[in-house]
Amino acid sequence: MLYINMIKDSIKQGKQEVSKIYCCGSSKGFKIGQTAQKYMCQRLQTIRQYERDVELYAYVEFTGSKALREFVESSVRLYMQGKGYQLQGNDHFIRKGKANTFKRHYMDIVTSTLNALEIDYKVINK
């Protein structure tokens, strides 16, 4: 917890905007990501240019800076590797197991990270 206390003072630094951390999947694998786009459908439209069958599982919305979004996304990436998912590229994981299990792990780490940082958030399940 000492580490978390060290970075808490930095949370309100930088441009504060509505931020989203999402998880989705396709026949190829699972994907995590972050965005400040107003609507998730805009982000999905971009992803679908490369992965036509991608399905959004959930996203968590909160107010924060780009640095905070990237911190939370990196926490997800690290946690998923620890759960046995093999990272492929920057934000894709080789498909392994059930989508619900991947989503549960994603929710566990995102909400735990935001709770530890005392950041209010909203969970949107799809």
Side-chain angles (χ1 to χ4, degrees), residues 58-70:
Y59 65 96
V60 177
E61 188 174 274
F62 59 94
T63 299
S65 65
K66 181 177 181 180
L68 179 59
R69 280 195 314 273
E70 290 180 352

Side-chain angles (χ1 to χ4, degrees), residues 109-126:
I109 190 59
V110 173
T111 57
S112 293
T113 302
L114 293 173
N115 284 335
L117 294 170
E118 299 175 355
I119 297 172
D120 292 332
Y121 57 88
K122 180 170 56 170
V123 173
I124 296 88
N125 282 298
K126 294 292 177 176

Side-chain angles (χ1 to χ4, degrees), residues 63-101:
T63 299
S65 65
K66 181 177 181 180
L68 179 59
R69 280 195 314 273
E70 290 180 352
F71 174 78
V72 176
E73 181 189 17
S74 292
S75 298
V76 176
R77 189 178 297 113
L78 181 62
Y79 185 75
M80 293 306 207
Q81 281 190 315
K83 289 294 181 182
Y85 293 94
Q86 184 179 346
L87 190 61
Q88 187 175 45
N90 185 46
D91 56 8
H92 285 75
F93 294 88
I94 295 173
R95 192 167 189 94
K96 166 191 160 187
K98 296 180 181 179
N100 281 339
T101 303

Side-chain angles (χ1 to χ4, degrees), residues 10-38:
S10 303
I11 291 171
K12 297 296 179 191
Q13 301 300 312
K15 180 181 174 187
Q16 301 295 298
E17 52 196 351
V18 175
S19 299
K20 298 169 186 69
I21 304 292
Y22 60 87
C23 78
C24 51
S26 68
S27 58
K28 295 179 183 178
F30 300 118
K31 177 180 176 18
I32 60 166
Q34 53 90 8
T35 187
Q37 288 181 299
K38 186 172 182 175

